[in-house]
Amino acid sequence: MRFKLIVAFVDDQQTQALVKAARDAGATGVTLINHARGEGLKPKKTFFGLNLELQRDVLLFVVEEHLARTVLEQLAETGQFDHTPGTGIAVQLDVEDVVGVAHQIESLSGKVEEKL
C-alpha cells in the first residue's frame, strides 16, 4: 500500500469537527499539534502589543493514497477553507515509506477495494 500525508492548519475551535470528518472519509488516525501560529495575506491586528489571532492546531493524517483525495476534500468542505478566509488550509504530500501502520492495513484493504 502507498500512503499520503495530509497536513491541515486549522482554528482550534474546528479541530474536533475536522477530525470527525476526516475519519468519516476514511482516515484511520490523526496526530494533533496544539498552539501553532500562522499568518495569511493580511497580518493580524494587535491590541497594545497583544496578538488577537485565534489559536491554531496542526492535524497530521497518514492516509492510504486512494482515500487521500476524499479526506482532503472533506476537510476543505467541513472547514470552509475555500469560502472563508483565515479558516485554515490543508496540503497533501507523497509519503516515501511508512512504518507503524501494519495493524491498520487489514482494515484499510476493504475500504481501498471499494474505491477501486
Side-chain angles (χ1 to χ4, degrees), residues 8-12 15 32-36 55-59:
F9 303 91
V10 302
D11 290 338
D12 67 339
T15 297
L32 170 65
I33 302 172
N34 292 315
H35 308 297
Q55 192 62 48
R56 300 275 183 193
D57 286 341
V58 179
L59 308 175

Side-chain angles (χ1 to χ4, degrees), residues 29-102:
V30 62
T31 297
L32 170 65
I33 302 172
N34 292 315
H35 308 297
R37 291 182 49 191
E39 190 173 291
L41 283 174
K42 299 178 183 176
K44 298 290 182 184
K45 297 191 186 235
T46 62
F47 180 73
F48 293 114
L50 299 173
N51 254 346
L52 299 177
E53 63 191 27
L54 293 173
Q55 192 62 48
R56 300 275 183 193
D57 286 341
V58 179
L59 308 175
L60 305 170
F61 301 93
V62 176
V63 180
E64 201 283 328
E65 71 176 342
H66 294 94
L67 303 172
R69 183 65 192 182
T70 303
V71 172
L72 186 67
E73 289 172 356
Q74 190 61 44
L75 287 171
E77 183 180 323
T78 301
Q80 297 292 305
F81 296 166
D82 290 329
H83 304 291
T84 308
T87 55
I89 64 169
V91 298
Q92 175 180 288
L93 306 167
D94 289 329
V95 173
E96 179 71 25
D97 204 0
V98 64
V99 295
V101 294

